[in-house]
Amino acid sequence: MKAIEITAPGAPDVLRLGQRPAPAPAAGEVLIRVHASGINRPDVLQRLGLYPVPSGASDIPGLEVAGVIEQGDPVALSEAGFKLGDRVCALVAGGGYAELCVAPLAQCLPVPKGLSLVEAASLPETFFTVWSNLFDRAHLGAGETLLIQGGSSGIGVTAIQLAKALGVTVLVTAGSDDKCAACLALGADHAINYRTQDFKDEVLRLTQGKGVDVILDMVAGSYVAREVECLAEDGRLVIIAVQGGVKSEFNAGLVLRRRLTVTGSTLRARSIAFKGAIAQACRRVVWPLIEAGRIKPVIHSTFDAADAGSAHALMESNQHVGKIVLTWGAA
């Protein structure tokens, strides 16, 4: 099969289209003929040599795919509500940038009705991440207020739409007025340009000094101190990436007095059972919202798989709004 390989740690041009043996599904797995592969920030970190591959995972990058089930145990497929030839999208621990990809059956979901395979490839990583962190970990509920750092990212556009569909007031930060406008168009109640405004001051102004109930943070570093200051009583800060650095200083007294929670998680190395539970929650709660048109995939750009380097360069430029997807038709 054709696959994108990381020839050495480095810039986007280290990605090369090569040949690999086709993987074989083990018990509890399916083989997917991949039509589209989503691109995510961890793929960039892996290419740079900053994100070690979990034990047992493919060294081929890529954490989400959409395509057609080509192989799998018919009995297990039937029990999961699938059959050979079904269109699915899946979260994987690696191997997504390839024509064929093995995925745990528990991490597969049907392509929502009305969506293309390109659109479906943009769903698993962001929706699994947002659901796990906002709703399972932070217990975000209807009537609460959420701040999303980086509202125009793939995670951000997902979090905006899902939180709004479930009755949450949404504030976001973004790096330009155009990106702020895009977030508002997706349903955000307020958008803060972090290059021209201090997000802490704006959050406190917009909430009449109360602060927000939950913050979804992809920055960490120096942001944490200001985030602690703009959390409401019993507020929850969830860190899912550390683009601003791993070291933070903050007022621990505020954590005590306001009964704050500072937490975080990564998804890639978690168990199949853990990810499977998220998949079932998404299938039960999120997929009907997508099929009803209340949540829509936001695709910024698609690239032929052979041009994966250009796709990574776009992601690193931070000029995109939404998801970037590789397609395998011309590879």
Side-chain angles (χ1 to χ4, degrees), residues 23-302:
E29 295 180 335
V30 295
L31 182 67
I32 298 171
R33 172 69 61 177
V34 177
H35 289 244
S37 312
I39 291 181
N40 295 281
R41 191 72 59 174
D43 306 342
V44 173
L45 295 176
Q46 181 178 334
R47 191 204 75 225
L48 291 168
L50 301 176
Y51 196 153
V53 176
S55 177
S58 171
D59 67 314
I60 297 169
L63 303 178
E64 59 186 348
V65 299
V68 175
I69 297 176
E70 193 159 283
Q71 291 181 33
D73 176 37
V75 174
L77 284 169
S78 178
E79 290 175 350
F82 295 113
K83 62 182 183 303
L84 295 177
D86 278 355
R87 300 194 321 154
V88 295
C89 55
L91 182 75
V92 294
Y97 291 9
E99 290 182 307
L100 293 165
C101 181
V102 165
L105 184 54
Q107 295 170 207
C108 295
L109 286 163
V111 172
K113 294 180 179 65
L115 263 57
S116 69
L117 287 168
V118 167
E119 291 172 318
S122 75
L123 301 178
E125 171 68 12
T126 55
F127 278 93
F128 278 55
T129 297
V130 168
W131 183 269
S132 176
N133 286 283
L134 286 186
F135 298 97
D136 285 344
R137 180 167 290 274
H139 305 292
L140 180 65
E144 291 195 306
T145 302
L146 167 69
L147 171 64
I148 303 165
Q149 301 283 22
S152 62
S153 65
I155 292 286
V157 300
T158 297
I160 290 170
Q161 294 186 82
L162 184 51
K164 287 302 298 179
L166 296 178
V168 174
T169 298
V170 176
L171 286 63
V172 304
T173 63
S176 71
D177 290 343
D178 286 345
K179 286 185 175 183
C180 285
C183 293
L184 293 171
L186 287 168
D189 296 282
H190 303 282
I192 302 162
N193 184 338
Y194 64 78
R195 297 187 188 279
T196 60
Q197 299 170 294
D198 184 284
F199 75 79
K200 184 197 78 172
D201 293 343
E202 285 300 297
V203 165
L204 293 176
R205 181 183 69 82
L206 291 166
T207 60
Q208 292 76 52
K210 175 188 174 183
V212 295
D213 299 294
V214 175
I215 300 175
L216 185 64
D217 178 23
M218 293 166 261
V219 183
S222 63
Y223 268 42
V224 174
R226 284 182 286 163
E227 288 168 336
V228 165
E229 291 183 27
C230 61
L231 279 171
E233 290 190 356
D234 297 303
R236 292 87 76 196
L237 167 60
V238 187
I239 300 169
I240 61 169
V242 289
Q243 295 176 32
V246 298
K247 294 185 178 181
S248 306
E249 292 186 5
F250 57 87
N251 186 340
L254 285 177
V255 175
L256 298 176
R257 292 193 296 274
R258 296 183 186 172
R259 303 176 303 279
L260 306 181
T261 299
V262 179
T263 185
S265 74
T266 59
L267 187 58
R268 189 176 187 181
R270 298 302 295 269
S271 70
I272 292 171
F274 181 87
K275 296 174 189 175
I278 301 171
Q280 290 307 305
C282 286
R283 189 168 186 173
R284 183 180 67 255
V285 179
V286 181
W287 259 226
L289 295 171
I290 296 173
E291 293 180 345
R294 295 180 62 192
I295 297 174
K296 298 179 180 179
V298 180
I299 309 294
H300 183 278
S301 300
T302 61

